[in-house]
Amino acid sequence: MVDLLAKTACDGLAPLNIGTVCLREGPTVPMTTLAPYRGQQAALDAALQAAHGLGFPPIGGSCQSGDARALWFGRDLGLLMGIEPEATLAQYAALTDQSQGWAVMQLEGQGGEEVLARLCPVDLRLSAFGVGAALRTEARHMQASICRIEEDCFQIMVFRSMARTMYHDLKTAMEAWAARG
Amino acid sequence: MRIAGKGQGADAKTVNFTFNGRHLMGRAGETLAAALLANDIHLVARSFKYHRPRGILTAGSEEPNALVTLGAGPVQDPNQRATTQELYEGLEARSQNCWPSVEHDVMAVNNLAAPFLGAGFYYKTFMWPAAFWEKLYEPMIRRAAGLGALSGLADTDRYEKAYGFCDLLVVGAGPAGVMAALTAGRAGADVLLLEEDSCLGGRLLAEEEEIDGKPAQIWLQEAEAELQQLDNVRIMRRTAVTGAYDHGTYGALERVGHHLPRQHSLKGSQRPRECFWRIAAKHCILAAGAIERPVAFRNNDRPGIMMAGAVRAYLNRWGVAPGERVTLFSNNDDAHRTARDLVAAGVHLAAVIDSRHDAPDSDLYPVLKGAQVCNTSGSKRLESITVRSVRGEERIQSDCLAMSGGWNPSLHLTCHLNARPSWRRELLAFVPQVGAVPGMRAVGACNGSFSTHAALREGAAAADAVLAELGLRVTAAAQLPEAEDQPYRIAPLWAVPGKGRAWLDFQNDVTVKDVTQAADENFRSVEHMKRYTTQGMATDQGKNSNVAALAVLADVTGRSIPETGTTTFRPPFVPVAIGAMGAGAADQGFKPQRFVPSHLVAEERGASQLEVGLWYRAAYFPKPGETNWRQACDREIMSVRQSVGVCDVSTLGKIDIQGPDAAKLLDFVYTNTFSTLKQRRVRYGLMLREDGFVMDDGTCARLGDTHYVMTTTTAAAGEVMAHLEFITQVLHPEWDLRFTSVTENWAQFAIAGPKSRLLLNDLLDQPLAPADWPFMACGAVTVGGIQGRLFRISFSGEEAYELALPASYGDSLFRTLLERAEALGGGAYGMEALNVLRIEKGFVTHAEINGTVTAQDLGMQAMMSQTKDFIGKAMAQRPGLVAPDRMQLVGLKPIGAVQELSAGAHLFDPEAPVERIQDQGYVTSVGFSPLLGHMIALGFLKRGASRIGDEIRLVDHMRGIDALCQVVEPVFFDPEGERMRG
């Protein structure tokens, strides 16, 4: 039997510490999109609660329970991260494995908001985008998912194939932000 | 000349800089203009058209004259205003638009030709012969006229773009802006305070006055300290708002690095030069102040003639006297402050010339009432002025004339959404219209309220109104600080009558005579006058000259100023480097790069990369000894035909579709039927656009009862996804199904060739049972315990499979596949080989599906179901789309010893002349088939299907190719498809 090695999306991209902000790849976890069928959102919400202790995420938000997190991921779409969904959920929603499809990065430290303000045309001030807020937006020319997972920590996701560009753009913004001080 | 003990930066450290190579010293924090004046340098630049000697006119961003070039080589910065450029250690500035030097400029000869160079000169003179314009006249004019020059090298400076959000955007930090920010900030609003200067204060920095019973500077320091304490207030210095746009968005330019030495440190190299901001604000308070306007009189452009307010700024803020024997010329009371401040500072004031007969008297200096300055003299610096009054003309020795024609509110932003300002007769100025920009309130001087008291009052009141709309509690009305509240008294004075040239627009060398001439030649509309004379069309956008120019136009056309109207104010308010607007888009930053899971392996093997949309795909994998790409390509093709080849096809769009109505969607979106497709089987499908033309093709696999995975071409993946969204959101929202892109989740490799099954059986955890894996089968497999998917499909005509594994294993899987393929005599193949393989088989790509072809054109009419409806079905029946003389897909092979065919070539009947109207079709794809030993091509030919066997002439005008070809069926190899089904 062959022995295949897995590489993460950000393989070869070193973690960065620039000024007060650091960038690193997020932990490798299962990711599944949850797309409720017609009229099944409430049932899915209840089934999620029963199975994993979290609900279907509200628009622009996320739900968390232990290591599991459900992000709002677009129109009628959630992304379950951190756990494999129970198979019974499939009666309420199309479940699609996306564990390998996205590069997940975490931008942590004071100034993360300022760094992202160089890339994303959305209001990420704490007052408008609190802990747990999640949205889909543009990061430079890439479509991204941004979630504030802690007060000073953002999770940034782009398509796996664009990991290098996202890393480059974040690095440039971090350097420029640090060079102002 | 520096005045000891005067100025706010008196204790600042000394910095060294050079101007035109001369080593000079200045104070840290002051502007280049202040430092030049302190060093008694008045001749700074040459004018645009006449190359007249020019000095420093203003003390702000409106400066038209004192433009300099900083730096050299790739980082050369032309047209930097000496009045905003802050001094730093080692700054090197030089004059521009002059040769050999600013002191002795050869092109000053233009000044002698001035009588011929008036308004419309170019239009009248360079009309004929027409061919001369591009070759001779334009280059000549460009060389003679102009401002600074670019280096011609790629800019190595970094620039940045950013987005900002706030409840309240305050534009300008003079007394009105600071008061507004304080009021709103104290109540908890999220305030963004933008100031284009390096420090807060606005006009207060230039004046000697008191606020709240203390020097204005102290009040400012206290206010700034309080603002900095407030977490909800962000202060951005050196940031000018450049434009007001829809829905409360504003553009702003932050000068991040212009005031700092170009360090050779890492940090210095990473610091952006400028940052272009896009700010979304719920409310805006415009406190942009006002700009003092010059008076037009003969020779009013000599170095040493400055704005009265600017003279006060240099005196009070930077402790510099711009002259030893100063005179003042004004039509308003405000300018008399300059006289008082100069006398108080011990500068000799020769005379105050006021055009009004009721001008205020003074014990400190002589006031010539009802008098006007009508001429000046001095070559590179002002030497004397001529004053005309009822007593006749007299000359007064003076090396600095401070002039003031009144103040123009800086209302530019209020006009960016197309509102026009209103004329206030008692102010002789335009003021903003209320509601000109939704959500914006103009306060203070930019609203025509010129006293400090009025500025503070309006700033606070506007902030209160904003707070009420934001629903924030207004804190107990803070006592408004006490401040001067002098009335603004002014009498009209735009241009002093008389002979000679009196400048209106200093930057574009437009005089009163030019405006008069424009009106004489019937360019009477202000917009026509502007374009005819070029008034207001330079980098200062006429900040100093607009109102005076239209006042002159009003006068000569016998209309009032409001009747004449203003020209249109457009963004940007200050010049913005293109580098800032395009920040991040230079080099590879223009678009994201998408890399396939096997990218690293391809790089290691020296594969040449091909850009396909955003994707980078390996074109071919060279081997030692191969000297050109064709050798590699031919080898790869033969390895697929003879053993086994491996190619990364992860870029193809993969859309996962699930739900009870999934099959309905597929039947509707494809021309052929998918509801009948068995599980574990794949079918080729064709999609049309609504208009009946082919949109995309690909395969779709049925993984389960209600579970499909659709494959699209790389090029149309996004388009198909949007197409499916449209169908399910708009046309059939009642269908119960969901779909999502899984393109990125899978690394997918084509394994093609007679030995493909051999390779797979050795690799897969379970070998393939032949009965389960006929052509077009699919199913789950495991490789090294990893769950994957296998599809038996072929784009090469060989027995072939596509193996998909989670993307994280892509790198490792590709290495394994190559190792095993090479052991079997095969190897990797790239896009070049893939292309030839599919041309040999007549399989189409977007080279053929180019948006103008129908299913019939492709010979795929049999795939158009007669028994169901599908997108594009009705429109595909239009007469033009089923006409018998349409171009149809054919194959082409050269006759005789033809070496080359080319895509893009056109087809002609061999006997017919090669003329556009004889065009019979065109070539879409070509390749060299090592199997057949010659080039092969696909193309579209009129009635092609009925012309198989005919001869056709292929002509490529661009590449000079002219070849005789035979029309053949569009399949060159294994027409029965036995190899791939085998």
Side-chain angles (χ1 to χ4, degrees), chain B residues 37 79-80 114 177 215 219 234 266 271 292 326 378 452 507 511 535 676 742 761 766 777 780 787 799 842 934 964 966:
Chain B
L37 291 173
N79 299 342
Q80 296 302 309
W219 180 81
R234 284 169 292 164
L266 186 63
R271 184 185 301 121
E292 201 168 18
V326 183
T452 306
Q507 202 170 58
T511 64
Q535 180 272 321
T676 55
V742 289
N761 278 338
Q766 299 288 326
Q787 290 278 345
E799 177 176 346
H934 57 75
L964 200 61
Q966 188 182 12

Side-chain angles (χ1 to χ4, degrees), chain B residues 43-64:
Chain B
L43 173 60
V44 178
R46 289 280 174 164
S47 77
F48 178 76
K49 193 156 114 184
Y50 302 123
H51 290 250
R52 298 260 297 184
R54 289 286 166 80
I56 293 157
L57 184 71
T58 73
S61 68
E62 70 272 25
E63 176 63 30

Side-chain angles (χ1 to χ4, degrees), chain A residues 17 33 91 103 142 145 160:
Chain A
N17 283 289
T33 47
Q91 58 186 303
M142 291 162 283
S145 156
R160 181 188 186 97

Side-chain angles (χ1 to χ4, degrees), chain A residues 2 7 100 117 125 161 180, chain B residues 163 190 744-745 808 820:
Chain A
V2 294
K7 281 189 170 181
Q100 312 295 333
R125 287 175 297 161
S161 65
R180 280 166 178 252
Chain B
Y163 298 92
D190 193 347
E744 298 266 349
N745 196 54
S808 55
R820 293 174 184 229

Side-chain angles (χ1 to χ4, degrees), chain A residues 2 5 7 36 38 76 95 97-98 100-101 117-118 122 125 140 161 164-165 175-176 178-180, chain B residues 158 160 163 165 190 254 267 270-271 584 593-595 599 658 733 736 738 741 744-745 808 812 820:
Chain A
V2 294
L5 299 175
K7 281 189 170 181
R38 268 174 72 82
D76 290 337
L95 310 178
D97 180 23
Q98 299 281 12
Q100 312 295 333
R118 266 95 193 135
V122 285
R125 287 175 297 161
R140 288 301 311 273
S161 65
R164 269 206 224 177
T165 302
E175 285 170 353
R180 280 166 178 252
Chain B
R158 281 203 190 185
E160 191 178 54
Y163 298 92
F165 298 84
D190 193 347
E254 182 186 11
K267 208 168 176 177
Q270 291 172 343
R271 184 185 301 121
Q593 294 172 293
R594 299 180 80 176
F595 296 110
H599 184 75
Q658 299 182 49
D736 192 11
R738 302 303 308 269
S741 167
E744 298 266 349
N745 196 54
S808 55
S812 184
R820 293 174 184 229

Side-chain angles (χ1 to χ4, degrees), chain B residues 663-720:
Chain B
K664 277 188 194 164
L665 171 68
L666 296 172
D667 280 350
F668 193 54
V669 75
Y670 283 118
T671 61
N672 47 334
T673 309
F674 278 78
S675 48
T676 55
L677 180 66
K678 291 193 183 74
Q679 289 187 38
R680 292 199 66 250
R681 287 294 180 271
V682 188
R683 186 167 285 171
Y684 175 76
L686 195 68
M687 277 180 206
L688 305 188
R689 301 188 307 225
E690 288 275 12
D691 64 4
F693 290 96
V694 178
M695 177 182 176
D696 198 34
D697 70 342
T699 59
C700 188
R702 189 168 196 171
L703 303 181
D705 183 29
T706 60
H707 188 188
Y708 293 81
V709 63
M710 174 190 281
T711 304
T712 74
T713 58
T714 302
E719 191 188 351
V720 170

Side-chain angles (χ1 to χ4, degrees), chain B residues 699-900:
Chain B
T699 59
C700 188
R702 189 168 196 171
L703 303 181
D705 183 29
T706 60
H707 188 188
Y708 293 81
V709 63
M710 174 190 281
T711 304
T712 74
T713 58
T714 302
E719 191 188 351
V720 170
M721 193 73 183
H723 188 56
L724 298 186
E725 289 286 359
F726 180 77
I727 293 169
T728 52
Q729 287 186 47
V730 180
L731 304 181
H732 285 291
E734 77 284 4
W735 284 349
D736 192 11
L737 72 119
R738 302 303 308 269
F739 58 88
T740 184
S741 167
V742 289
T743 306
E744 298 266 349
N745 196 54
W746 299 95
Q748 195 155 318
F749 299 96
I751 301 154
K755 294 182 185 169
S756 55
R757 185 188 296 249
L758 189 63
L759 188 155
L760 278 168
N761 278 338
D762 191 39
L763 177 75
L764 299 173
D765 297 351
Q766 299 288 326
L768 303 173
D772 291 343
W773 289 94
F775 183 54
M776 299 305 255
C778 68
V781 291
T782 57
V783 181
I786 313 298
Q787 290 278 345
R789 292 170 179 171
L790 188 70
F791 307 85
R792 184 170 168 192
I793 50 180
S794 174
F795 200 50
S796 58
E798 299 298 328
E799 177 176 346
Y801 300 82
E802 287 188 11
L803 175 62
L805 242 52
S808 55
Y809 295 102
D811 181 276
S812 184
L813 177 62
F814 192 55
R815 288 176 199 275
T816 306
L817 287 170
L818 291 194
E819 199 179 293
R820 293 174 184 229
E822 281 161 2
L824 294 171
Y829 68 102
M831 297 306 294
E832 297 290 357
L834 180 143
N835 195 42
V836 175
L837 289 164
R838 68 96 191 167
I839 296 172
E840 286 178 339
K841 286 295 296 175
F843 294 147
V844 297
T845 65
H846 275 266
E848 284 73 38
I849 307 173
N850 58 18
T852 71
V853 308
T854 65
Q856 210 160 353
D857 297 344
L858 295 172
M860 294 186 185
Q861 56 272 28
M863 288 181 68
M864 309 260 282
S865 170
Q866 300 298 313
T867 57
K868 61 159 185 119
D869 190 22
F870 56 85
I871 295 260
K873 185 175 186 178
M875 297 295 261
Q877 305 307 316
R878 287 182 289 165
L881 272 70
V882 294
D885 64 341
R886 285 186 63 83
M887 296 179 189
Q888 291 159 338
L889 184 70
V890 294
L892 299 167
K893 66 177 191 187
I895 296 171
V898 175
Q899 292 301 308
E900 204 169 2

